[in-house]
Amino acid sequence: MSKTIVQSVEEFDQIVQENDTFLFFKNSTTCPISHAAFEEFENFVADQDKVPCFYLNVQEARPLSNHIAETFDVKHESPQALLFKNGKVAWSATHWKITHSSLQENVK
């Protein structure tokens, strides 16, 4: 399955309305830890075809990143993986805890 970049609150809100379950990744384009986590995310995306996957680059979409943190009561971090189920964050991981295996285990 592919991943889709999201840059606006409106796009994100539409994703929440249209998908019961999806994975969302917050990426920092300047952080080496985020780069490594993004590679894990990309490998996960390439290996599965059941869960829609989306991401943002924090430097380009900070208002959206803040919106997600405030709306869903999750501390902003990057890198950060968020699994949404039924309009709520069901699971999250940050930094080195974002691995291909952790994504496989939790995104079912």
Side-chain angles (χ1 to χ4, degrees):
M1 184 169 276
S2 64
K3 63 189 180 313
T4 304
I5 191 165
V6 181
Q7 297 183 312
S8 73
V9 170
E10 294 78 20
E11 286 177 285
F12 179 80
D13 288 346
Q14 185 173 354
I15 291 164
V16 173
Q17 290 178 350
E18 294 176 354
N19 295 277
D20 290 332
T21 302
F22 65 95
L23 180 64
F24 199 87
F25 186 86
K26 289 184 178 184
N27 182 50
S28 169
T29 56
T30 58
C31 171
I33 296 170
S34 193
H35 179 74
F38 192 72
E39 286 183 354
E40 296 289 320
F41 169 69
E42 286 184 306
N43 290 335
F44 169 77
V45 170
D47 286 348
Q48 67 90 37
D49 61 357
K50 295 179 182 166
V51 177
C53 297
F54 304 91
Y55 72 102
L56 65 77
N57 291 321
V58 175
Q59 290 84 347
E60 300 164 3
R62 187 59 193 229
L64 172 55
S65 182
N66 291 341
H67 170 76
I68 293 169
E70 292 165 9
T71 303
F72 296 95
D73 197 30
V74 291
K75 179 183 173 190
H76 163 76
E77 296 190 65
S78 62
Q80 185 174 45
L82 301 165
L83 177 65
F84 287 84
K85 287 188 177 184
N86 301 316
K88 298 182 182 194
V89 175
W91 173 80
S92 67
T94 64
H95 297 83
W96 296 115
K97 293 180 182 174
I98 302 169
T99 64
H100 186 272
S101 62
S102 73
L103 293 169
Q104 278 186 318
E105 288 173 24
N106 291 283
V107 180
K108 296 178 183 174

